[in-house]
């Protein structure tokens, strides 16, 4: 017998929407179970954002009571620091996203430690490896409220087991009073259940995945029946038919 899974109301993990479409973010902010939002340069490009600061300030004004992460767009450490300080002024709910390294492999642990301990909220991102998790936690420990974003989905895309790294990150963060772990690059609803079960603080996912959470709590048997009903409905809508009577007459 198949038992029901966790329901949306049972989830303890905080739900963030990953995206940059303003209308979609405003829509998702109306849902009581959505706690925050994450953006990145790739998502900004997809959304057609050209004036970054104007876009961000408008978004903060539209959803002032939700955590929002905005990423620096420079690849130079000195300029990253300047941009981080600017982004931090966009609103009290803003977390500044900084990647774990530059594109040249230069680590940003020292810069993140400096900014965090000056009171800037940091979302330390593009983290994949255990060593990065450990050093990121050390850099942020004792500073301002901060996130460590581990890209579990991209590890899975490469055939790598993300769970040991996720458990390490959650365990290290639990030993601090200011760090939360974000399960990032979410690929499916099941990842939300996984994140919840290991005690991960936050999971960020595209809106289309988060909208499916209302269906949690069903059974395999009900899914089977729903699937058959969908096939029957689509067969009728497509006008498909097979003339079995003609075949029987020929036989």
């Amino acid at each position: 017998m198949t038992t029901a899974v966790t329901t949306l109301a049972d989830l303890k993990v905080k739900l963030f929407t990953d995206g940059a479409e303003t209308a979609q973010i405003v829509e998702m902010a109306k849902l009581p179970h959505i706690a925050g939002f994450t953006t990145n340069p790739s998502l900004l490009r997809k959304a057609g954002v050209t004036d970054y600061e104007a876009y961000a300030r408008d978004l903060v004004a539209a959803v002032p009571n939700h955590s929002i992460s905005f990423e620096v767009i420079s690849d130079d450490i000195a300029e990253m620091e300047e941009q981080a300080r600017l982004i931090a002024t966009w609103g009290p709910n803003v977390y500044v996203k900084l990647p774990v390294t530059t594109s040249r492999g230069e680590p940003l642990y020292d810069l993140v430690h400096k900014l965090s301990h000056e009171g800037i909220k940091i979302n330390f991102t593009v983290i994949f490896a255990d060593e990065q998790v450990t050093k990121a936690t050390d850099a942020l420990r004792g500073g301002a409220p901060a996130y460590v974003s581990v890209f579990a989905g991209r590890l899975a895309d490469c055939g790598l087991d993300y769970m040991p790294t996720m458990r390490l990150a959650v365990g290290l963060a639990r030993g601090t009073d200011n760090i939360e772990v974000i399960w990032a690059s979410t690929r499916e609803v099941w990842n939300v259940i996984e994140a919840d079960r290991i005690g991960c603080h936050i999971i960020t996912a595209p809106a289309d995945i988060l909208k499916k959470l209302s269906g949690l709590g069903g059974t395999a048997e009900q899914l089977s029946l729903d699937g058959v009903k969908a096939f029957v409905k689509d067969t009728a809508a497509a006008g498909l038919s097979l003339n079995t009577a003609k075949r029987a007459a020929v036989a």
Side-chain angles (χ1 to χ4, degrees):
M1 183 178 70
T2 305
T3 57
V5 298
T6 302
T7 67
L8 177 57
D10 295 328
L11 293 175
K12 295 181 177 62
V13 63
K14 289 188 282 189
L15 305 174
F16 282 15
T17 302
D18 195 32
E21 294 282 353
T22 299
Q24 183 183 76
I25 290 174
V26 172
E27 175 193 359
M28 295 298 287
K30 297 175 183 177
L31 301 177
H33 54 274
I34 301 300
F37 302 93
T38 53
T39 66
N40 63 48
S42 298
L43 293 171
L44 294 174
R45 179 188 178 190
K46 184 178 179 181
V49 174
T50 54
D51 188 333
Y52 188 12
E53 183 168 358
Y55 156 84
R57 289 188 179 277
D58 287 345
L59 189 56
V60 170
V63 286
N65 299 317
H66 291 71
S67 168
I68 311 179
S69 293
F70 295 112
E71 191 162 344
V72 299
I73 53 176
S74 176
D75 194 38
D76 173 78
I77 293 179
E79 191 172 14
M80 283 177 163
E81 179 175 353
E82 294 177 3
Q83 291 183 356
R85 296 185 185 282
L86 171 63
I87 292 172
T89 68
W90 291 350
N93 56 330
V94 170
Y95 281 69
V96 179
K97 290 184 76 173
L98 285 155
V100 70
T101 73
T102 66
S103 67
R104 296 171 297 282
E106 302 163 318
L108 268 68
Y109 303 114
D110 289 344
L111 173 59
V112 162
H113 180 273
K114 176 182 179 181
L115 294 173
S116 178
H117 286 74
E118 288 180 8
I120 294 177
K121 297 176 182 177
I122 301 294
N123 181 340
F124 213 177
T125 191
V126 200
I127 291 174
F128 288 82
D130 289 0
E131 182 181 11
Q132 292 175 333
V133 168
T134 301
K135 290 184 176 180
T137 303
D138 289 342
L140 294 166
R141 188 190 310 273
Y147 302 141
V148 170
S149 291
V150 183
F151 281 41
R154 293 196 190 181
L155 286 170
D157 288 344
C158 295
L160 298 173
D161 184 0
Y162 50 77
M163 195 56 80
T165 302
M166 293 307 307
R167 291 186 186 278
L168 172 65
V170 171
L172 290 175
R174 293 293 181 194
T176 75
D177 59 5
N178 69 305
I179 301 173
E180 295 181 293
V181 175
I182 295 181
W183 182 305
S185 64
T186 302
R187 300 296 192 249
E188 56 189 2
V189 169
W190 176 245
N191 297 148
V192 179
I193 304 299
E194 290 181 303
D196 189 66
R197 288 182 176 178
I198 68 168
C200 192
H201 307 83
I202 302 163
I203 186 166
T204 186
D208 60 343
I209 290 179
L210 295 177
K211 288 178 180 179
K212 294 178 182 179
L213 295 179
S214 59
L216 290 177
T219 65
E221 291 78 8
Q222 185 58 51
L223 288 171
S224 178
L225 182 59
D226 289 345
V228 173
K229 289 180 178 179
F231 291 153
V232 171
K233 180 180 178 181
D234 289 340
T235 297
L240 300 176
S241 64
L242 291 171
N243 193 343
T244 54
K246 181 178 180 180
R247 178 180 176 85
V250 171

